[in-house]
Amino acid sequence: MNDWPDRRTGDRSERYGRGSASPQPESARAMPHIQRRPAPPQRPPVPPQRPQVPPQSQGGYDDRYPSGSPGYGNNPDPGYDSGYNTGQVYGGGAGGRGRGGGRAGGDAGYVQGRPAPDWRRRIKIGSLTLVVVFLVVSVSTYFWADSKLKREVDLSKVIERPSEGKGTNYLIVGSDSREGMSAEDKKRLRTGSAEGKRTDSMMILHRGSNGPTLISLPRDSNVEIPSFKGSESGKLFPGTGRQVKLNAAYAEDGPELLVRTVEFNTGLRIDHYVEIGFGGFANIVDALGGVEMDIPKAFKDKKSGADFQAGKQTLNGEESLAFVRTRYAFKGSDLDRTKNQQKFLAALASQTATPSTILNPFKLYPTMGAGLDTLIVDKDMSLWSLSQMFFAMKGVSGGDGTSMNMPISGSVGGNLVWDKAKVKQLVEQLKNDEKVTVTGN
């Protein structure tokens, strides 16, 4: 029977022992000595550092330590564990991107996320884009509006003109032109159906360094028709000393003769001419959304259709036209009407030349379109000069300027006679761009 636990035979030729048949005890056997490597000394913890990995061409490990050996992974000391996982990614290719955005074969173990956005650069690019868009829109709008101006008045046809002075003088005319108006519009606006066109209001606006000055020229002013050259025929008509109402000059030969008559009777050179008809006037007001007016006293006029209560109110196009045309409801007739016209035009300019209108394309383009479609100017008028005129009129309502009627000394045959001494003083102050001290009626 075999008593060996591992079922070995009793063969004494076995590797261990020589059997137990000898009466002498078996001599001690030499057992192989296994020496354990002493534990490395404790090192203070150090912060994890980015491991230095050899280039891809040299391999990412040390061949001296085979897989599974204590020195595997370039760490010959198996007793030290830094706790840092290299996170080496294989299969990415040289210079490629590993999973998670890391660089395989490059900075092994370093995973780089998406870079933070450069907000300064984005703000600069966005601001530059807005500036470019604004400039493109502004330039396009300018040329669009400039192309719509009706430059029909040729001031070069006006003869014997006064010398130029300082500042800029505009002759602003409101005509009773019904051009482009339907029968329904004429009825609604109470304009009548008279053929041709006549001046319904006339003003001189001086823009200078001492603030703007707005001077109304009553249509019933008594003036002399001077020599002039026909605007259509080119024929020279000599002066005969004829005394007529001022609005008759326009009716006789249009804007050129009106400018010639104003210059002859005042001695003031007119630099630009601006005219607008009934329909265009009403359309501008409606496109703007109405004009707010403070009417000090209620009045009513059947001929113009005016019917206003006292106090602040917003007038639409139809109401505005009735307001500036009414004269029979006032004691001063045409002189009182010119004052209302000045007040309204100044309010219109003040409410048009505002950021809420200029920066709002839904209000700016309809307003400009409504006005430019019916606005008639001289051939040298630019859109820039026209805008300066509007801002000057805004200054009148803002208290920076002066508004007045042409000084009147009396009347003859129902026509208003100008005060020659005051007119001369007024013209000298305007020519020299001095502060206006003359007062009108």
Side-chain angles (χ1 to χ4, degrees):
M1 181 176 179
N2 188 356
D3 296 329
W4 294 92
D6 55 359
R7 296 182 181 181
R8 296 181 182 176
T9 62
D11 189 358
R12 296 182 180 182
S13 62
E14 291 283 335
R15 180 178 177 180
Y16 298 105
R18 305 179 202 171
S20 57
S22 172
Q24 298 295 330
E26 190 175 37
S27 61
R29 291 176 293 180
M31 300 296 292
H33 178 68
I34 300 176
Q35 183 177 3
R36 295 185 178 275
R37 192 171 186 173
Q42 296 293 328
R43 301 178 184 178
V46 294
Q49 297 182 356
R50 187 173 176 178
Q52 299 295 328
V53 181
Q56 185 72 20
S57 59
Q58 298 179 3
Y61 57 89
D62 196 335
D63 292 338
R64 295 176 298 171
Y65 299 96
S67 177
S69 68
Y72 177 69
N74 291 336
N75 185 10
D77 190 352
Y80 173 70
D81 183 8
S82 67
Y84 188 87
N85 183 7
T86 64
Q88 177 132 1
V89 181
Y90 297 95
R97 304 291 294 182
R99 180 178 299 177
R103 292 179 57 191
D107 296 336
Y110 178 71
V111 180
Q112 183 178 6
R114 179 178 297 178
D118 188 348
W119 289 109
R120 287 186 178 181
R121 183 171 178 270
R122 291 187 179 185
I123 291 174
K124 288 181 179 179
I125 294 176
S127 301
L128 181 60
T129 302
L130 289 177
V131 170
V132 172
V133 171
F134 177 78
L135 290 176
V136 170
V137 173
S138 300
V139 172
S140 301
T141 300
Y142 181 89
F143 284 104
W144 166 78
D146 188 73
S147 65
K148 292 180 73 66
L149 285 177
K150 296 182 178 180
R151 297 180 173 91
E152 299 178 359
V153 180
D154 189 358
L155 296 183
S156 66
K157 296 179 180 179
V158 180
I159 62 174
E160 302 176 14
R161 309 194 67 186
S163 60
E164 293 184 1
K166 298 179 181 179
T168 305
N169 300 312
Y170 300 83
L171 180 59
I172 304 172
V173 175
S175 74
D176 63 359
S177 171
R178 298 153 179 85
E179 182 180 355
M181 296 176 62
S182 64
E184 182 180 351
D185 291 334
K186 294 176 183 179
K187 182 179 180 180
R188 176 175 59 87
L189 299 176
R190 296 174 180 264
T191 63
S193 301
E195 295 297 329
K197 58 181 182 179
R198 287 153 294 277
T199 54
D200 204 60
S201 63
M202 290 161 285
M203 302 178 187
I204 294 175
L205 174 66
H206 174 80
R207 183 179 63 84
S209 58
N210 280 291
T213 302
L214 186 62
I215 308 166
S216 288
L217 309 177
R219 58 180 287 181
D220 295 337
S221 297
N222 191 78
V223 295
E224 179 183 340
I225 298 293
S227 60
F228 67 96
K229 181 186 292 186
S231 59
E232 297 296 333
S233 64
K235 181 181 177 181
L236 183 63
F237 295 89
T240 60
R242 286 187 299 137
Q243 302 288 316
V244 297
K245 291 183 179 181
L246 181 59
N247 64 343
Y250 183 94
E252 187 173 332
D253 198 49
E256 288 83 2
L257 180 54
L258 176 61
V259 171
R260 167 67 174 140
T261 303
V262 170
E263 290 186 342
F264 177 81
N265 287 269
T266 62
L268 184 67
R269 186 184 182 98
I270 300 300
D271 299 299
H272 292 294
Y273 177 91
V274 181
E275 176 188 330
I276 189 168
F278 282 161
F281 180 83
N283 290 337
I284 290 177
V285 175
D286 287 334
L288 191 61
V291 174
E292 184 178 1
M293 292 292 298
D294 188 1
I295 301 176
K297 186 178 180 180
F299 64 90
K300 188 175 182 179
D301 181 21
K302 292 182 177 180
K303 290 189 175 182
S304 66
D307 186 3
F308 298 103
Q309 300 298 319
K312 288 186 177 181
Q313 49 202 290
T314 300
L315 309 184
N316 60 24
E318 179 182 349
E319 294 167 337
S320 299
L321 190 58
F323 180 82
V324 298
R325 294 183 63 208
T326 298
R327 65 171 176 166
Y328 295 106
F330 307 125
K331 183 179 180 180
S333 186
D334 202 34
L335 291 178
D336 287 340
R337 178 172 69 166
T338 56
K339 293 178 182 179
N340 280 344
Q341 291 172 347
Q342 290 178 350
K343 183 186 299 185
F344 184 86
L345 290 180
L348 175 64
S350 180
Q351 295 176 43
T352 301
T354 58
S356 62
T357 299
I358 297 175
L359 299 179
N360 184 356
F362 298 103
K363 184 179 289 187
L364 175 64
Y365 287 99
T367 302
M368 293 181 66
L372 296 174
D373 283 341
T374 57
L375 204 64
I376 298 175
V377 299
D378 64 274
K379 292 187 175 182
D380 294 328
M381 174 73 83
S382 66
L383 187 64
W384 173 251
S385 183
L386 185 64
S387 65
Q388 288 180 314
M389 184 196 77
F390 270 96
F391 278 99
M393 292 186 66
K394 180 181 179 181
V396 172
S397 64
D400 297 331
T402 303
S403 61
M404 58 184 290
N405 277 326
M406 187 64 78
I408 304 296
S409 62
S411 64
V412 56
N415 296 346
L416 300 174
V417 179
W418 294 351
D419 189 325
K420 292 184 179 180
K422 285 188 175 182
V423 169
K424 182 178 180 180
Q425 183 183 359
L426 173 63
V427 170
E428 286 299 318
Q429 290 177 344
L430 295 178
K431 276 188 172 183
N432 297 323
D433 200 16
E434 299 173 352
K435 184 174 180 61
V436 174
T437 59
V438 179
T439 58
N441 298 79

